[in-house]
Amino acid sequence: MPDFPIRKTAVIVEDIFHDGGPPAAVPRRRAAALAVVKNPFAGRYVEELQDAMEDLKALGLRLTDRLIEALGGDIKAIDGYGKGAIVGSAGELEHGALWHVPGGYAMRERLGEAKAIVPSAKKVGAFGARIDVPIGHINAAYVRSHFDAMEVGVPDGPRSDEIVFALVMSCGPRVHNRMGGLRAEDISAQDGLR
C-alpha cells in the first residue's frame, strides 16, 4: 500500500462582498482545504495506480471536515464544490487523477444528498504553482449561478516529489450573478444535471 505522508495542510476562506457592483445582502463564501503530500510514485512509472485511491480516502474526509468547519459547520449552507491537484515535476498527471474518488466522494458523503459530479482540474507544476479549481452546484451541473473557480496553491510546494491535493466548497451563487439559466431553487430532475 502506498504511503502519502502529509507535509502540511492549509485552509483558505474568502468572504466576497461585491464584485464591482453593490454589496451583497449575504456575502458569498468560498473555502479551500489543501494537503501537501509525498508522492510515492515520483520519479518512476507505475502501471497500476488505482488501488492507491483507497489510501487517500481518509485524507479526503479529513479535508472535507476542515472545509465544512471553516464554512461554519452547516452543511445545508454549502451548495458548491470542486477538487484539484498539482503534481510536482517528478510525477505525472495521472498521479493527480488519484484524487478523483477520495476527494469527490468524501465531499459527496459528508454533504449528504449531493448529486452532481464534482468538477475537477489537475496539472503537473513547479514549486509555487497554482491551479484554478472549478466549482459547480452540488446537485445540478446546469445551475449557471454557481459556475466559478478558486485559485489555490501553496508558496512552498509542490516539491518535485510531492502532490498538492485541494478541495473547494462554496456557499451561495456568484455575487451579482445574472446570466440566467436554471436557478438553484428550480432544480427538479434530481439527476445531477437539472
Side-chain angles (χ1 to χ4, degrees):
M1 290 185 27
D3 191 17
F4 296 87
I6 298 170
R7 179 165 65 86
K8 67 187 287 185
T9 61
V11 175
I12 305 158
V13 180
E14 299 179 342
D15 290 309
I16 304 163
F17 295 93
H18 69 85
D19 193 23
V26 176
R28 170 122 191 266
R29 298 196 88 197
R30 291 190 304 206
L34 301 96
V36 182
V37 305
K38 180 132 178 90
N39 181 354
F41 306 111
R44 61 195 177 99
Y45 178 81
V46 176
E47 181 65 33
E48 174 52 48
L49 296 172
Q50 286 187 32
D51 292 344
M53 286 191 279
E54 187 67 31
D55 301 309
L56 289 166
K57 284 186 175 179
L59 179 60
L61 291 168
R62 178 178 173 180
L63 293 182
T64 297
D65 290 341
R66 296 220 30 218
L67 270 179
I68 291 169
E69 179 184 338
L71 288 170
D74 179 6
I75 63 170
K76 294 187 183 331
I78 298 168
D79 59 359
Y81 56 20
K83 63 185 182 298
I86 307 169
V87 180
S89 60
E92 62 177 281
L93 191 61
E94 204 64 7
H95 301 160
L98 288 167
W99 197 228
H100 283 309
V101 171
Y105 280 85
M107 289 191 292
R108 292 175 77 171
E109 177 182 321
R110 293 293 201 246
L111 294 176
E113 297 299 316
K115 299 194 181 319
I117 191 166
V118 181
S120 179
K122 68 191 99 16
K123 71 184 219 179
V124 174
F127 195 77
R130 299 185 63 79
I131 191 166
D132 290 335
V133 176
I135 302 169
H137 194 278
I138 66 171
N139 286 317
Y142 283 89
V143 176
R144 288 184 202 157
S145 60
H146 287 61
F147 293 172
D148 197 3
M150 184 174 180
E151 184 185 25
V152 300
V154 294
D156 62 344
R159 294 174 179 164
S160 64
D161 64 346
E162 292 179 331
I163 305 172
V164 177
F165 288 123
L167 297 180
V168 172
M169 291 183 182
S170 61
C171 301
R174 291 183 317 277
V175 172
H176 310 145
N177 79 86
R178 51 194 186 280
M179 291 298 118
L182 179 65
R183 297 180 316 164
E185 57 269 23
D186 295 331
I187 296 170
S188 62
Q190 301 303 313
D191 61 0
L193 297 174
R194 299 182 186 278

